[in-house]
Amino acid sequence: MSYAIIGFGKIGQALAKAFARSGIEVSVATTRAPESFASDAAAIGPGIKPKTLAEAVEADVVFLAVRFEQHPDVAKALPGWQGKTIVDVTNGYGMPPEKLGGQLSSAKAVAKVFAGGRLVKGFNHLGATVLGQDPAVHGGRRVVFLASEDDDAAKDIGALAKSLGFAPIELGGLSEGGMLVQGHGSTWGRLIFKDLIQFEKKS
């Protein structure tokens, strides 16, 4: 399984740190030449591989960590997204319904653009500073919420989240659980910015 992070701002770098801590190789890309951010990638770890956008989108799992309004440009990097899983880390706060294609769910708007792909909303409810920290906290693991119309995709990303040290919690579909972890218009979902820790039950 190959992984890529599209977008290398604060959120993209926070995700890259999670991969580096876990020793999992990941490609990182922006619309800029990889040489322009190679030193930042190297500072995070040797497994963080700067790539062109065209190279990065060849990965099996693509984390979409760009500004919400930039996601259509990323989608154009491939003629179709069949066989790929897209993890939507964007937040559509400030986006009116007409900018969401009439959808109330920003993730559904993203899914429509990434036609053919399996979309999972996730890793977006935490700010970059918190997301970039070690998810092992006081003997527990930091929670990440996942929502998807594809149960298998959600389980696959949940397994990856565990490998990255997080505690994944599946919220159901995009129209239900996905609404809890999104921003759109002038509202935030109820779980946005909730920094929760999961502890193992003691027998």
Side-chain angles (χ1 to χ4, degrees):
M1 190 69 68
S2 55
Y3 306 100
I5 300 167
I6 309 302
F8 203 52
K10 291 180 180 179
I11 292 292
Q13 292 187 33
L15 286 168
K17 289 175 183 176
F19 277 87
R21 274 192 303 269
S22 303
I24 301 174
E25 184 174 298
V26 64
S27 301
V28 293
T30 71
T31 54
R32 296 178 285 123
E35 294 79 15
S36 67
F37 54 89
S39 60
D40 290 331
I44 294 174
I48 312 304
K49 306 294 186 182
K51 298 284 182 71
T52 65
L53 179 59
E55 291 169 334
V57 295
E58 292 300 323
D60 300 309
V61 176
V62 175
F63 282 77
L64 190 62
V66 297
R67 293 175 63 87
F68 179 82
E69 55 268 29
Q70 294 175 320
H71 76 268
D73 295 328
V74 177
K76 293 174 185 175
L78 285 177
W81 291 82
Q82 288 80 5
K84 297 186 182 296
T85 301
I86 299 96
V87 183
D88 177 17
V89 196
T90 69
N91 278 311
Y93 185 78
M95 295 291 116
E98 56 268 24
K99 290 290 183 73
L100 301 180
Q103 301 278 357
L104 287 177
S105 165
S106 63
K108 279 194 171 184
V110 173
K112 187 174 181 180
V113 174
F114 285 81
R118 306 190 307 167
L119 187 126
V120 179
K121 184 74 175 176
F123 292 85
N124 67 298
H125 84 283
L126 296 171
T129 300
V130 176
L131 183 62
Q133 295 172 3
D134 190 331
V137 182
H138 304 306
R141 293 182 299 152
R142 179 164 279 119
V143 167
V144 291
F145 296 110
L146 306 175
S148 180
E149 302 298 327
D150 188 312
D151 291 342
D152 290 337
K155 284 180 170 52
D156 289 346
I157 299 304
L160 173 61
K162 286 183 179 179
S163 296
L164 296 176
F166 293 94
I169 293 180
E170 293 183 31
L171 299 175
L174 299 177
S175 297
E176 300 81 32
M179 298 294 284
L180 298 173
V181 284
Q182 72 155 6
H184 77 286
S186 59
T187 63
W188 289 108
R190 295 182 67 179
L191 294 178
I192 289 283
F193 307 129
K194 300 291 186 185
D195 183 14
L196 306 178
I197 310 300
Q198 184 181 81
F199 296 92
E200 297 296 330
K201 292 181 180 179
K202 294 182 179 180
S203 56

